[in-house]
């Protein structure tokens, strides 16, 4: 797994990420829809469903076999992806609000659920993500948090200390709210709590 | 390449012929077989732009995506509940039909689990409080026991001392009685002396008469007889006074004896009360000891309750990992 993540980090970002200019235009998808993708252990896309293709604007041929950062938006803090990979590599699920970049430069917000895929023997064989239209009441808080994290990351001299500073900031936020990351994510929207009560 | 024919009927009711390769058919069959075996990893990739199969592939993938997502979510939500964490529902958004219905059911179960967990926590708090209360009651019993034992000892002491006092008072009564006897004897002696004084007085009278009859020759004798008469009168007066004193003494002694009797009664009473106290305190100590024993078992029970709750709630989440 260590290897897989090393593979993921080495070269992918420079080699693969196309230089798409963000347009600042937001697109959405249906509340009843799921954007689904699967990756191998290194984060290379092995499957993307029709909603994924429609919203991102990529064809199946264009996306399969590419690293998942193909849709990475520059406004996403690196700290969040580090947390994502740390969590799924330890076998846990993670929820995260993510803004993605479509092929044409438009962006779309998702509430992503990422989990490891295990085979019959319990070995992790890849990762899976299903994404929903985010709960609107959470987004202002998420935007503010991500902006803060990006600023903190940019204020650091190198990528490594950027990640360290960002991670520290996340931990401080959680400590102040006396909860863990999962509880924090679910606390961002009233709606997630409502799903418990209907 | 041999191509099997499918003959679908479209919405208008017209039929047309679709051709597909054996390889494509095999991929579709494989994905469905794996799903039928409960594994939702396979997807049909590469047919997204197939002229006639893209729809079928999309439908199968959608079915797999939904089943896959639901299974992951349901398992994760329940796993969290099993670790006493109830913030994470199965999200209803994007879950249609029966999936949505099941998600609701799971969320309702989660809510119930949260309630039970909360009442369990409450019971745990009560049990802990109980344990504290019980141990302070136990401590109080211990103290009660100690002071009871002390009171019993002191009561026994005073009962013993009371008995000693009764003996001493008895001795005093004896001494006073002897005094009274002695006074009695003095009285008898005084009566003898009184008789002697009276006889002496008579003698002196007779002597005076005899001296007058003797005339001049008896003059000196008459003086002596007068003296003797005087003396016997004095003696009679003195004995009168002594008799009065002895009578007073008698009265005093009776009074003292009366007092001693009531002291004796009081002390006797005291001694009896002391031994009654000693007795009932002993009973109390025994009762307290029994209470202590009961409390010990209550303590054990409430510890058992706390332990059971602890193992159900499993802060380490071990029982949820199963
Ligand atoms: C199953 C799965 C789904 C992912 N989905 C996204 C996504 O929708 N958007 C995204 O930017 N990164 C996603 N990632 C994370 C990427 O792998 C990558 O870490 C991220 O885009 C940051 O890229 P960078 O390290 O090149 O900056 C996903 C990873 C996995 C394993």
């Amino acid at each position: 797994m260590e290897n897989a993540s090393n593979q993921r980090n080495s070269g992918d970002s420079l080699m693969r990420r196309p230089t798409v200019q963000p347009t600042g235009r937001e697109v959405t998808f249906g509340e009843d829809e799921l954007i689904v993708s699967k990756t191998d252990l290194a984060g290379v896309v092995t499957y993307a469903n029709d909603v994924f293709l429609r919203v991102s604007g990529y064809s199946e041929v264009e996306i399969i076999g590419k690293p998942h950062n193909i849709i990475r938006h520059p406004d996403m803090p690196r700290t969040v992806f580090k947390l994502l990979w740390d969590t799924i590599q330890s076998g846990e699920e993670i929820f995260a609000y993510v803004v993605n970049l479509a092929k044409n430069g438009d962006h779309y917000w998702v509430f992503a659920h990422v989990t490891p895929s295990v085979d019959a023997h319990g070995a992790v064989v890849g990762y899976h993500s299903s994404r929903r239209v985010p709960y609107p009441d959470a987004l202002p808080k998420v935007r503010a948090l991500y902006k803060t994290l990006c600023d903190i990351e940019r204020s650091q001299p190198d990528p490594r200390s950027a990640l360290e500073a960002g991670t520290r900031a996340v931990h401080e936020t959680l400590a102040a709210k006396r909860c863990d990351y999962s509880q924090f994510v679910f606390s961002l929207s009233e709606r997630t709590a409502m799903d418990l009560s209907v | 390449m041999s191509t099997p024919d499918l003959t679908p009927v479209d919405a208008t009711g017209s039929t047309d012929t679709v051709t597909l390769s054996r390889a494509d058919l095999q991929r579709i069959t494989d994905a469905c077989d794996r799903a039928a075996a409960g594994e939702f990893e396979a997807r049909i990739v590469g047919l997204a732009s197939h002229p006639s199969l893209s729809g079928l592939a999309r439908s199968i993938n959608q079915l797999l995506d939904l089943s896959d997502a639901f299974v992951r979510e349901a398992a994760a939500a329940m796993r969290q509940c099993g670790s006493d964490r109830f913030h994470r529902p199965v999200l209803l958004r994007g879950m249609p039909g029966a999936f949505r219905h099941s998600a609701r059911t799971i969320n309702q179960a989660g809510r119930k689990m949260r309630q039970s967990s909360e009442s369990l926590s409450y019971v745990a708090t009560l049990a802990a409080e109980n344990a504290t209360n019980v141990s302070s009651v136990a401590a109080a019993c211990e103290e009660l026991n100690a002071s009871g034992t002390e009171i019993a000892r002191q009561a026994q002491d005073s009962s013993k001392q009371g008995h000693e006092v009764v003996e001493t008072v008895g001795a005093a009564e004896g001494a006073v009685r002897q005094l009274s006897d002695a006074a009695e004897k003095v009285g008898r002696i005084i009566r003898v002396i009184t008789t002697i004084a009276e006889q002496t007085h008579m003698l002196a009278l007779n002597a005076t008469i005899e001296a007058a009859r003797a005339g001049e020759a008896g003059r000196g004798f008459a003086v002596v007889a007068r003296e003797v008469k005087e003396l016997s009168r004095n003696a009679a007066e003195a004995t009168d006074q002594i008799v009065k004193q002895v009578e007073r003494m008698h009265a005093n002694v009776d009074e003292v004896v009366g007092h001693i009797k009531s002291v004796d009664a009081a002390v006797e009473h005291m001694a009896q009360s002391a031994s009654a106290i000693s007795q009932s305190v002993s009973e109390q100590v025994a009762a307290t000891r029994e209470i202590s024993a009961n409390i010990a078992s209550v303590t054990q029970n409430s510890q058992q309750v706390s332990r059971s709750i602890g193992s159900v709630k499993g802060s380490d989440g071990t029982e949820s990992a199963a």
Side-chain angles (χ1 to χ4, degrees), chain A residues 13 17 39 68-69 71-72 81 85 100 114 127 129 131:
Chain A
S13 34
R17 199 186 307 153
T39 73
H68 216 307
N69 66 8
I71 54 167
R72 191 200 198 294
F81 291 119
W85 277 99
N100 282 322
V114 189
Y127 300 104
S129 174
R131 307 166 185 81

Side-chain angles (χ1 to χ4, degrees), chain B residues 93-161:
Chain B
R93 201 165 258 201
M95 290 286 145
F99 291 112
R100 190 182 202 84
H101 184 74
S102 299
R104 276 217 181 90
T105 308
I106 289 172
N107 290 344
Q108 276 160 5
R111 209 161 62 235
K112 276 270 179 286
M113 283 167 79
R114 167 186 231 145
Q115 282 162 1
S116 322
S117 168
E118 280 166 2
S119 2
L120 209 55
S121 300
Y122 182 57
V123 170
T125 318
L126 290 187
E129 243 171 64
N130 242 8
T132 321
N133 290 345
V134 162
S135 66
S136 55
V137 170
C141 271
E142 206 66 33
E143 257 169 56
L144 204 64
N145 221 331
S147 68
T149 311
E150 177 59 17
I151 290 171
R153 200 186 57 75
Q154 285 178 2
Q156 259 161 16
D157 273 5
S158 44
S159 162
K160 208 170 83 196
Q161 279 166 6

Side-chain angles (χ1 to χ4, degrees), chain A residues 8-9 12-14 17 35 37-45 52 67-73 76-78 80-82 84-85 88 98-101 108 110 112-116 126-131:
Chain A
R8 174 179 62 86
N9 290 331
D12 282 353
S13 34
L14 286 176
R17 199 186 307 153
I35 294 181
S37 66
K38 286 179 176 289
T39 73
D40 64 11
L41 290 171
V44 171
V45 178
F52 188 117
H68 216 307
N69 66 8
I70 188 171
I71 54 167
R72 191 200 198 294
H73 194 287
M76 279 301 292
R78 301 179 59 214
V80 173
F81 291 119
K82 175 176 160 44
L84 182 149
W85 277 99
I88 60 177
V98 179
V99 60
N100 282 322
L101 196 60
Y108 56 99
V110 299
H113 180 223
V114 189
T115 43
Y127 300 104
H128 169 274
S129 174
S130 47
R131 307 166 185 81

Side-chain angles (χ1 to χ4, degrees), chain B residues 50-281:
Chain B
H50 190 285
S52 37
L53 290 180
S54 60
L56 176 63
R58 188 172 59 235
S59 297
I60 294 174
N61 282 343
Q62 272 171 358
L63 174 60
L64 291 170
D65 283 345
L66 271 177
S67 311
D68 197 7
F70 178 79
V71 168
R72 285 168 196 269
E73 285 246 2
M78 279 292 108
R79 203 171 132 197
Q80 293 280 349
C81 286
S83 310
D84 243 4
R85 291 158 55 82
F86 303 101
H87 65 281
R88 186 225 187 284
V90 178
L91 296 176
L92 299 181
R93 201 165 258 201
M95 290 286 145
F99 291 112
R100 190 182 202 84
H101 184 74
S102 299
R104 276 217 181 90
T105 308
I106 289 172
N107 290 344
Q108 276 160 5
R111 209 161 62 235
K112 276 270 179 286
M113 283 167 79
R114 167 186 231 145
Q115 282 162 1
S116 322
S117 168
E118 280 166 2
S119 2
L120 209 55
S121 300
Y122 182 57
V123 170
T125 318
L126 290 187
E129 243 171 64
N130 242 8
T132 321
N133 290 345
V134 162
S135 66
S136 55
V137 170
C141 271
E142 206 66 33
E143 257 169 56
L144 204 64
N145 221 331
S147 68
T149 311
E150 177 59 17
I151 290 171
R153 200 186 57 75
Q154 285 178 2
Q156 259 161 16
D157 273 5
S158 44
S159 162
K160 208 170 83 196
Q161 279 166 6
H163 284 303
E164 279 168 16
V165 169
V166 168
E167 274 166 33
T168 315
V169 168
E173 196 187 337
V176 171
R177 283 215 184 286
Q178 277 174 10
L179 200 63
S180 169
D181 287 352
E184 193 71 53
K185 278 181 196 142
V186 170
R188 277 203 299 275
I189 293 164
I190 293 296
R191 273 196 293 282
V192 173
I193 293 170
T194 308
T195 314
I196 291 170
E198 278 167 4
Q199 286 172 354
T200 310
H201 188 65
M202 288 300 289
L203 276 174
L205 276 181
N206 288 341
T208 310
I209 294 165
E210 289 304 325
R213 212 179 278 159
E216 199 54 32
R219 196 173 289 154
F221 191 67
V223 172
V224 172
R226 217 167 30 245
E227 286 290 321
V228 170
K229 208 168 70 187
E230 190 62 19
L231 273 176
S232 72
R233 208 172 42 86
N234 283 351
E237 264 171 39
T239 50
D240 261 2
Q241 269 171 12
I242 287 171
V243 165
K244 277 193 192 111
Q245 284 298 332
V246 167
E247 270 166 6
R248 213 174 291 149
M249 212 172 102
H250 261 302
N252 286 346
V253 165
D254 283 347
E255 212 175 306
V256 168
V257 167
H259 286 322
I260 284 174
K261 280 224 170 79
S262 55
V263 167
D264 195 25
V267 169
E268 184 60 38
H269 187 72
M270 232 170 70
Q272 269 168 11
S273 308
S275 56
I277 289 171
S278 158
Q279 168 105 21
S280 59
V281 168

